[in-house]
Amino acid sequence: MGIKRQKTASPYKRPIGGQAMINLTTNSLYRAGAFALTLWLAAFGAQAAIIEVREGERIQDAVNQAAPGDEILVYPGLYSETVYVDKDDITLRGVVEGGNWPHLDGNKQLNDAILYSGNGFSVEWLKITHYKGNAIMGQAGNNFSIRNNWVIDSGVYGIFPEFGENGLIENNILSGIEDAAIYVGMSDYIDVRNNQVFDSVAGIEIENSRHVLVEGNLAKNNTGGILVFITPGLPIKSSYDAIIRRNFVLDNNTPNFGIPGSLVSQIPAGSGIIVMSGDEVIIEDNVITGNNNAGIIITSQDFVTEIATDTGSDPNPDAVQIRDNVMFNNGASPEGEMKLLMLTKFSTTGPDILAYQGATTAERGSCISRRNAYRTHGVEDWADCDSPTIRANDAIAGREPSDSTRALATKMLPEPAAPRVINDDASGAEIVYQGICAGCHAYNVRLIGPPTLAIQAQYGGDAVSIAAYIANPEKKRPDFPTMPPQDHLSEPMRQLVAEYMLALTN
């Protein structure tokens, strides 16, 4: 191969050029947690190498050659492959020249563009199109950065960090995704900033994750703009401490084209922001307009039908704050259950804000500011966010009153999270299950793949057959998509994961 490897004192001293076809904001990297992450990566790359990849060469060959701390530069051209990064501290950076991008195209044959399980992984400036599964998927890697990428029609998920800690998703543009354009699953300490997500089923989805900042994004022309969910049946049972701030949530009226039977396929079109069971969610300073069903919906898991219960997770949302949003022209044409609900109120239009099914009681600690500025339903028992009681509670909790989120720059950690180590043992199998399998298989709820409970019933105790299927799957159920092969996992690990899956009880 013609891949070039060159040593440099620090690859981070040399700017990587290219005028982007799409105007992406780049200076926000030097904010708070992102800056700390960059410095950390730079320190590890002090004696690193730059490896160059050009059209006709394979990016995976460069990854195989790379050592921790190396930077891989991918030059403009067409690349059709799946890239798997299982090494720590690797940077994968596209070089955009004269509007020409390095372009990964799956031709609707390949499932994934980029998979990473290494810690300290960074990927940016790549155009990714026509994959069947995921554009960029994290499989339990910590301290990641996903920036400035352009993703079109990449299948089920666009950007999908699963079971990761301390990460940045910034300045990406995504469209045409069957589930969620940006999907943060079972992760902690994540910033999702300044992205554009449109023409997808879900724009941004925060699922069973904690300590997340969703700020400055444009969510437009999706089925649902921004979602904060607790999905039952997953290993992580909670979702709390999410700030949804300063986003533009506009005209999310695209008919739902999610995979039939999947959880997200049941989201009604015209939904701006949905909080389903999430706790301690603050929705503040957003512009939310033109969403035909409703602007903001706060609800329990009952909002999505045919969902199984999970005794380990609370189905009702607690301590939700709705503060100082700009909302107008929402609810013009409600559909389904929302339409029937509003007809009981002698209205043919939906609300700006709906609290529904387990989200309406005062003791759950939710509050709203400027209540009379919006058309609302179900928030009559909610407190006033600026009331003396709420201010006193803020003081007890050590929060600034009223404007408590505005001084917060990031949810990322001030120092890198401990690298996640995956060994071929039982503890490693648990991490792999949470970082890979649980992205599509909940225990007793249908996601993209069949529930784990159904897999247990089908295979009984035959872990060997499951391990073989993980490496070389074939389509068995007409109502589910074909599972992507996970043959990058070692044979012992596949066996351990199969045994772990068969032993699960919730």
Side-chain angles (χ1 to χ4, degrees):
M1 302 298 293
I3 295 172
K4 298 179 180 178
R5 179 183 178 94
Q6 49 183 309
K7 287 286 184 180
T8 179
S10 172
Y12 299 91
K13 293 181 180 178
R14 184 165 70 87
I16 305 304
Q19 177 65 42
M21 183 182 300
I22 301 173
N23 183 22
L24 298 170
T25 305
T26 57
N27 61 358
S28 53
L29 174 63
Y30 300 98
R31 294 183 188 174
F35 184 57
L37 177 60
T38 303
L39 291 178
W40 178 72
L41 292 172
F44 272 82
Q47 298 300 319
I50 291 177
I51 304 174
E52 297 182 342
V53 184
R54 300 184 184 272
E55 189 170 24
E57 301 168 343
R58 294 179 70 250
I59 301 170
Q60 187 64 55
D61 290 339
V63 173
N64 295 343
Q65 178 183 337
D70 284 356
E71 179 179 9
I72 298 168
L73 299 184
V74 184
Y75 284 84
L78 187 62
Y79 304 84
S80 184
E81 59 178 301
T82 295
V83 180
Y84 178 62
V85 182
D86 62 351
K87 303 173 181 179
D88 288 351
D89 309 314
I90 298 295
T91 296
L92 184 60
R93 175 176 291 146
V95 179
V96 182
E97 297 179 328
N100 296 314
W101 288 63
H103 180 183
L104 279 75
D105 191 286
N107 299 309
K108 286 300 179 183
Q109 300 296 317
L110 299 176
N111 195 78
D112 303 298
I114 298 170
L115 301 172
Y116 69 90
S117 61
N119 302 281
F121 176 67
S122 178
V123 55
E124 56 187 58
W125 295 107
L126 297 176
K127 180 180 179 181
I128 301 173
T129 63
H130 306 140
Y131 283 80
K132 296 191 299 180
N134 309 284
I136 302 169
M137 181 182 181
Q139 299 181 334
N142 290 344
N143 306 310
F144 59 86
S145 173
I146 303 172
R147 305 179 62 247
N148 302 330
N149 300 287
W150 182 13
V151 177
I152 305 169
D153 184 24
S154 71
V156 181
Y157 301 114
I159 294 172
F160 181 10
E162 175 80 352
F163 198 55
E165 188 171 325
N166 198 45
L168 173 67
I169 304 170
E170 183 178 54
N171 296 337
N172 303 282
I173 297 181
L174 305 99
S175 64
I177 310 301
E178 294 176 6
D179 196 295
I182 296 176
Y183 184 105
V184 178
M186 298 196 300
S187 296
D188 295 273
Y189 305 105
I190 309 297
D191 283 358
V192 182
R193 298 198 300 230
N194 302 331
N195 303 280
Q196 298 179 41
V197 290
F198 55 96
D199 297 342
S200 300
V201 176
I204 299 171
E205 182 171 352
I206 310 301
E207 181 189 65
N208 296 50
S209 295
R210 292 78 58 92
H211 316 299
V212 179
L213 173 64
V214 180
E215 180 176 33
N217 303 282
L218 171 63
K220 183 176 181 180
N221 294 339
N222 307 288
T223 301
I226 300 175
L227 317 178
V228 181
F229 276 16
I230 292 179
T231 296
L234 294 179
I236 302 299
K237 305 296 185 182
S238 59
S239 187
Y240 59 82
D241 187 22
I243 297 175
I244 314 300
R245 185 177 68 185
R246 299 171 186 159
N247 302 283
F248 289 86
V249 185
L250 314 177
D251 304 321
N252 291 286
N253 304 312
T254 295
N256 196 315
F257 59 94
I259 297 172
S262 65
L263 187 64
V264 79
S265 71
Q266 300 171 62
I267 300 302
S271 301
I273 296 175
I274 302 178
V275 177
M276 188 182 78
S277 308
D279 299 329
E280 300 174 30
V281 179
I282 299 177
I283 304 171
E284 183 173 42
D285 293 338
N286 302 280
V287 176
I288 307 168
T289 180
N291 305 286
N292 285 342
N293 202 46
I296 299 174
I297 300 171
I298 313 297
T299 185
S300 70
Q301 290 168 355
D302 294 335
F303 180 71
V304 177
T305 59
E306 300 178 7
I307 194 166
T309 59
D310 182 346
T311 57
S313 63
D314 180 1
N316 299 307
D318 297 323
V320 175
Q321 300 182 38
I322 301 177
R323 297 177 177 267
D324 301 326
N325 300 281
V326 176
M327 304 182 70
F328 57 92
N329 292 340
N330 296 297
S333 181
E335 66 171 51
E337 192 168 351
M338 178 71 75
K339 182 177 181 179
L340 295 175
L341 175 65
M342 299 318 295
L343 285 174
T344 67
K345 308 299 177 183
F346 303 102
S347 174
T348 58
T349 58
D352 285 316
I353 301 170
L354 170 71
Y356 184 54
Q357 293 177 330
T360 60
T361 54
E363 62 266 21
R364 294 206 172 274
S366 296
C367 71
I368 182 172
S369 66
R370 300 175 58 239
R371 183 191 317 261
N372 295 329
Y374 317 113
R375 289 179 297 105
T376 65
H377 176 72
V379 299
E380 293 79 15
D381 289 342
W382 284 31
D384 181 343
C385 287
D386 299 317
S387 70
T389 300
I390 295 296
R391 287 177 176 270
N393 290 340
D394 284 341
I396 292 171
R399 297 187 296 262
E400 300 256 345
S402 187
D403 59 351
S404 57
T405 78
R406 289 170 181 153
L408 180 74
T410 180
K411 283 290 186 182
M412 294 175 65
L413 297 170
E415 301 292 336
R420 187 164 274 137
V421 179
I422 303 175
N423 297 315
D424 283 350
D425 55 22
S427 62
E430 180 178 12
I431 294 172
V432 169
Y433 179 84
Q434 294 176 335
I436 301 178
C437 308
C440 292
H441 303 281
Y443 179 71
N444 57 351
V445 175
R446 173 171 177 165
L447 298 179
I448 300 303
T452 300
L453 195 61
I455 296 171
Q456 291 173 340
Q458 178 179 354
Y459 284 91
D462 188 2
V464 173
S465 293
I466 294 179
Y469 186 84
I470 290 171
N472 187 26
E474 59 185 23
K475 190 174 181 65
K476 289 190 173 184
R477 296 175 173 89
D479 54 338
F480 289 95
T482 304
M483 175 179 156
Q486 303 294 328
D487 51 355
H488 56 276
L489 298 174
S490 69
E491 185 174 348
M493 178 56 75
R494 295 197 296 268
Q495 179 69 24
L496 288 165
V497 169
E499 293 170 357
Y500 180 86
M501 177 179 286
L502 290 175
L504 280 175
T505 57
N506 59 54

